Amino acid sequence: MTKYILRRILYLFLTLFIIASITFFLMKMLPGTPFTNQNRLSPEQLAIVKAQYGLDQPVFIQYLRYMGGLFQGNLGTSFQFNNEPVTQLIGQRLAPSMQIGAQAMIVGTVLGILLGAVAAIRKNTWVDTLATFISILGLSIPSFVLAVLLQFYLAYKWQIYPVALWDNFQSSVLPTLALAALPLGNVARFMRTEMVDVMSSDYIELAKSKGNSNWQVVTKHALRNSLIPVVTIIGPMAVSVMTGSMVVENIFSIPGIGEQFVKSITTNDYPTIMGLTIFYSFLLILVILIVDILYGLIDPRIRLGNGGKE
Amino acid sequence: MEQVPKIPKEKFKLLHKKDNQAQESLGTPSLTYLQDVRRRLFSNKVATVCLILLGIMVLISVFAPVVAPHNPNTQRVEYSNLPPKIGNLDIPGFNGMQNMDGKSVDAYKAVNAPKDTYYILGTDYLGRDLLSRIIYGTRLSLIVAVLATLVDLIIGLPYGIVSGWKGGKVDTFLQRIIEIVSSVPNLVVVILMMIILKPGLVSIVIAIALTDWVTMARLIRAQTFQLKEQEYILAARTLGESSTKIATKHLIPNLSSTIIIQTMFTIPNAIFFEAFLSFIGIGIPAPNASLGTLLSDGQKAFRFLPYQMWAPALILSIIMIATNLLGDGLRDAFDPQSSD
């Protein structure tokens, strides 16, 4: 297992290296510089500014510099925000994104498990149909459509929550709901299939025949065994929640990294785009890695990739 | 020992050959695989409704120039932000009335529009007909989806077949590439491509296809691995068929269910990404309409003109729900064991 984890971590850095290199050269391929529109600089001034950012060097030297900086955790400085280091920019904006992301994952997963379990226990009844309907809605409706609708009804029309504000827990409710729909639908659906399988297995029959109450059978045997495979979809779900959070943060004006990413794209702030791209990739790969390791730990029958050997 | 009683000869009767066959034959005509699939699909009411719904949308999109009541990009500033109105029908929400300072005002009268001028879903801030824009936006979404799926197939199918068929070193090498490509988050690739390429239809298709082909290639590879052990493939090989011929004649027809099912999951994904990119403003450039840009415009104005947000949100949701449900239905129809 340790060997496996080490190999995966090595892969993580290799992938990040490749992503960083590709991003760097792609950004260099773009025509123009960020200073072309700025107050019509004279050639001398332009040369000074370029030298300040190291843009006068050959591309390869710039690349080495950038990668060297990356190694020390330096993502360069933003063109837009008063030369703020990109790492600092990300650091300041990480907390709100993390908060709504984590809240959405927890709310979505917990509600999804409940919904899926109820649907499986009451299989082929109206409860099941309703649960399936809800999970299809959650899966299909894009988070930004949901965000816009929630904002219109709950915030603007009925004024239960703020429209676009970031200060207390109240203001994080709507973005969380908008983002939680997808994990909810995903988990509910997965959970139902798993649970239906488990409920028809021999050990459930045994547990029932021993005279356990229905409640005990469900909580002690069925639920636990159905939960294991659900862990596998947490990784991909986290990825889609992060995707969704980019727009949802924008809609609700939350000062998070997603909103920053969109803003940097529209303002051509290349160092920030690059920094955030690498940062996002790192987060996503890390989440998937953690989920894979967790899965191996929870279910000893699965020792990923090395055929059951330690 | 008792003697066996003699049975008279007349009691024996020659059975007609035909009767024998009649017993063996089946009551109903035997169905081919595709007929079976179709029967199972149409017995699924939800999937059938979704199929019809999507069919209507495809038809409207194909005939958009004929169906759309106005040119989607023609601006008539004097008619900007008019609420929905259908003819002279007095249906609440579709009668051209608008709430202004707490009073209900006929917005069409306020701008001196002629009596026969009306917009079924209203107009946007530049006086463009919203219904026509939605029709063209849907058309664009569907075009993106179809093209992305095609490109997906063009890359993923041969890649998967070669990887699965050749096996060994070739497979290992091709799988390493997939591993690296798939570890880069889709979103990052799509956004980078959008920044580098000029925003527009082609870039969106390329960006989506570049990330989506991996899933297709993986599925095809796994399936090819199974198929190549089958007796009929062995027979074809023994008879000296070339690899390309085996691939086109035997592999692809047997892979078709996998391909169709996966395609049904690529389509909503492509539609989502297009709307997503257009919503954040790096997708389809103005003045062309896409469901994403329409929703983004609608969101900006929803306090006073909620109808501008409703229509694109509804259409986008319906497309997504219908494609997802149809995908489920198709999967159950092609592979009845997968459903519970």
Side-chain angles (χ1 to χ4, degrees):
Chain A
M1 195 68 187
T2 328
K3 213 171 148 192
Y4 166 74
I5 295 173
L6 283 178
R7 202 181 66 205
R8 286 292 300 264
I9 292 175
L10 190 78
Y11 263 127
L12 188 151
F13 282 107
L14 191 73
T15 319
L16 275 184
F17 175 77
I18 294 171
I19 294 174
S21 309
I22 293 174
T23 327
F24 181 86
F25 286 111
L26 285 179
M27 291 292 148
K28 285 295 155 204
M29 269 164 51
L30 292 176
T33 69
F35 312 112
T36 27
N37 294 330
Q38 234 167 39
N39 313 329
R40 289 202 206 99
L41 299 170
S42 68
E44 293 83 11
Q45 285 170 315
L46 200 63
I48 294 170
V49 177
K50 275 193 166 182
Q52 192 193 334
Y53 288 101
L55 292 173
D56 52 343
Q57 307 280 339
V59 172
F60 189 67
I61 301 289
Q62 287 183 38
Y63 172 68
L64 286 185
R65 265 199 196 165
Y66 188 79
M67 294 311 266
L70 205 60
F71 231 65
Q72 297 156 13
N74 178 6
L75 293 168
T77 45
S78 163
F79 288 155
Q80 292 285 325
F81 297 89
N82 303 323
N83 298 331
E84 224 184 311
V86 174
T87 13
Q88 199 181 320
L89 211 66
I90 294 175
Q92 286 167 355
R93 287 169 161 267
L94 195 56
S97 297
M98 283 290 175
Q99 191 193 334
I100 57 166
Q103 279 176 199
M105 286 296 286
I106 293 169
V107 170
T109 314
V110 171
L111 288 183
I113 288 172
L114 287 178
L115 199 67
V118 169
I121 295 166
R122 297 263 175 276
K123 197 187 157 191
N124 295 333
T125 62
W126 65 271
V127 181
D128 185 18
T129 315
L130 182 72
T132 312
F133 182 69
I134 295 174
S135 68
I136 281 287
L137 285 189
L139 269 175
S140 310
I141 299 179
S143 50
F144 52 92
V145 176
L146 201 60
V148 171
L149 294 179
L150 284 174
Q151 192 181 39
F152 180 66
Y153 281 104
L154 291 181
Y156 173 66
K157 261 211 154 144
W158 302 330
Q159 307 197 336
I160 303 173
Y161 297 105
V163 174
L165 181 80
W166 184 254
D167 54 359
N168 50 8
F169 175 73
Q170 278 268 311
S171 53
S172 75
V173 172
L174 290 186
T176 303
L177 285 182
L179 287 173
L182 187 78
L184 187 146
N186 249 329
V187 171
R189 191 179 207 192
F190 210 76
M191 187 70 194
R192 182 186 173 275
T193 321
E194 276 309 315
M195 190 103 164
V196 165
D197 255 16
V198 168
M199 288 298 272
S200 60
S201 63
D202 292 343
Y203 59 84
I204 294 294
E205 289 298 319
L206 177 69
K208 276 185 193 163
S209 62
K210 282 199 298 192
N212 284 321
S213 69
N214 248 339
W215 174 251
Q216 270 178 322
V217 173
V218 168
T219 49
K220 277 204 172 150
H221 301 274
L223 208 57
R224 284 192 191 182
N225 282 299
S226 324
L227 277 178
I228 298 173
V230 173
V231 176
T232 45
I233 55 168
I234 288 180
M237 260 163 29
V239 172
S240 40
V241 165
M242 279 189 222
T243 310
S245 85
M246 284 177 50
V247 213
V248 171
E249 280 175 23
N250 235 330
I251 292 172
F252 291 104
S253 302
I254 295 165
I257 46 173
E259 198 239 1
Q260 177 66 58
F261 198 16
V262 176
K263 214 189 273 167
S264 330
I265 291 167
T266 40
T267 53
N268 283 353
D269 188 355
Y270 299 141
T272 314
I273 297 176
M274 278 165 72
L276 280 171
T277 305
I278 295 165
F279 184 71
Y280 259 110
S281 313
F282 174 70
L283 269 186
L284 296 178
I285 302 169
L286 193 69
V287 167
I288 292 171
L289 174 66
I290 291 172
V291 170
D292 278 358
I293 292 172
L294 264 184
Y295 196 50
L297 289 178
I298 293 173
D299 193 346
R301 285 172 301 181
I302 302 145
R303 285 277 186 255
L304 309 113
N306 49 7
K309 287 173 285 180
E310 272 290 295
Chain B
M1 242 192 156
E2 219 181 309
Q3 233 187 337
V4 182
K6 226 177 175 188
I7 306 167
K9 230 181 188 173
E10 308 88 69
K11 287 217 167 175
F12 286 97
K13 205 171 75 185
L14 201 66
L15 262 180
H16 220 277
K17 217 178 164 190
K18 250 195 203 153
D19 299 341
N20 217 357
Q21 265 183 342
Q23 254 180 3
E24 293 284 313
S25 75
L26 295 166
T28 47
S30 71
L31 297 169
T32 63
Y33 178 55
L34 272 182
Q35 282 172 328
D36 211 27
V37 166
R38 199 180 309 144
R39 195 177 53 97
R40 275 198 296 263
L41 183 67
F42 285 129
S43 67
N44 180 345
K45 279 192 204 107
V46 177
T48 315
V49 170
C50 292
L51 188 66
I52 295 171
L53 218 71
L54 286 173
I56 294 172
M57 283 192 182
V58 169
L59 276 182
I60 292 179
S61 308
V62 170
F63 295 106
V66 188
V67 181
H70 299 266
N71 183 316
N73 294 335
T74 307
Q75 304 178 3
R76 297 195 68 172
V77 186
E78 68 271 26
Y79 293 157
S80 65
N81 291 331
L82 286 177
K85 183 181 179 185
I86 305 176
N88 290 321
L89 298 172
D90 199 23
I91 311 164
F94 289 98
N95 52 7
M97 302 303 259
Q98 201 169 24
N99 226 351
M100 272 180 183
D101 305 322
K103 273 183 295 177
S104 199
V105 182
D106 190 337
Y108 283 78
K109 254 186 203 145
V111 294
N112 291 325
K115 259 213 152 139
D116 56 336
T117 304
Y118 63 91
Y119 297 94
I120 294 176
L121 289 179
T123 56
D124 70 356
Y125 64 102
L126 289 173
R128 294 175 293 196
D129 177 36
L130 215 56
L131 176 65
S132 309
R133 284 183 76 70
I134 284 174
I135 290 175
Y136 273 86
T138 312
R139 174 179 154 116
L140 199 118
S141 287
L142 293 180
I143 290 176
V144 167
V146 170
L147 286 181
T149 312
L150 272 182
V151 179
D152 208 33
L153 266 180
I154 291 170
I155 309 175
L157 186 65
Y159 197 99
I161 288 183
V162 167
S163 189
W165 183 253
K166 292 271 181 199
K169 269 186 189 154
V170 179
D171 181 42
T172 315
F173 176 70
L174 290 178
Q175 288 313 301
R176 281 293 154 278
I177 296 181
I178 280 200
E179 226 166 77
I180 292 176
V181 171
S182 64
S183 67
V184 185
N186 278 6
L187 175 74
V188 170
V189 179
V190 171
I191 287 185
L192 280 181
M193 291 315 288
M194 293 314 294
I195 298 172
I196 290 144
L197 303 169
K198 259 200 221 136
L201 186 76
V202 181
S203 335
I204 293 182
V205 170
I206 292 176
I208 294 170
L210 262 182
T211 55
D212 260 3
W213 67 271
V214 175
T215 329
M216 180 70 85
R218 269 191 180 148
L219 282 173
I220 299 286
R221 171 182 170 264
Q223 202 67 20
T224 308
F225 257 121
Q226 276 180 19
L227 287 176
K228 79 174 180 184
E229 304 299 328
Q230 302 283 323
E231 274 86 2
Y232 59 85
I233 301 280
L234 184 71
R237 270 174 139 170
T238 325
L239 288 171
E241 288 261 50
S242 69
S243 293
T244 24
K245 212 160 181 196
I246 292 178
T248 49
K249 244 177 98 179
H250 300 288
L251 283 177
I252 293 182
N254 283 298
L255 287 168
S256 57
S257 64
T258 313
I259 295 171
I260 292 174
I261 294 166
Q262 179 53 28
T263 303
M264 280 317 292
F265 290 101
T266 312
I267 289 176
N269 200 22
I271 292 174
F272 168 79
F273 263 115
E274 185 278 318
F276 175 87
L277 292 171
S278 299
F279 190 89
I280 61 176
I282 54 172
I284 296 295
N288 289 325
S290 121
L291 290 176
T293 52
L294 289 172
L295 188 65
S296 161
D297 287 346
Q299 190 247 340
K300 280 170 200 146
F302 77 58
R303 287 182 60 190
F304 308 107
L305 313 154
Y307 66 88
Q308 289 187 3
M309 165 204 79
W310 258 113
L314 203 66
I315 297 291
L316 187 56
S317 304
I318 288 176
I319 295 182
M320 295 293 286
I321 294 170
T323 39
N324 272 325
L325 285 175
L326 182 61
D328 284 352
L330 276 172
R331 192 186 48 203
D332 293 348
F334 273 109
D335 183 11
Q337 282 164 334
S338 74
S339 62
D340 28 86

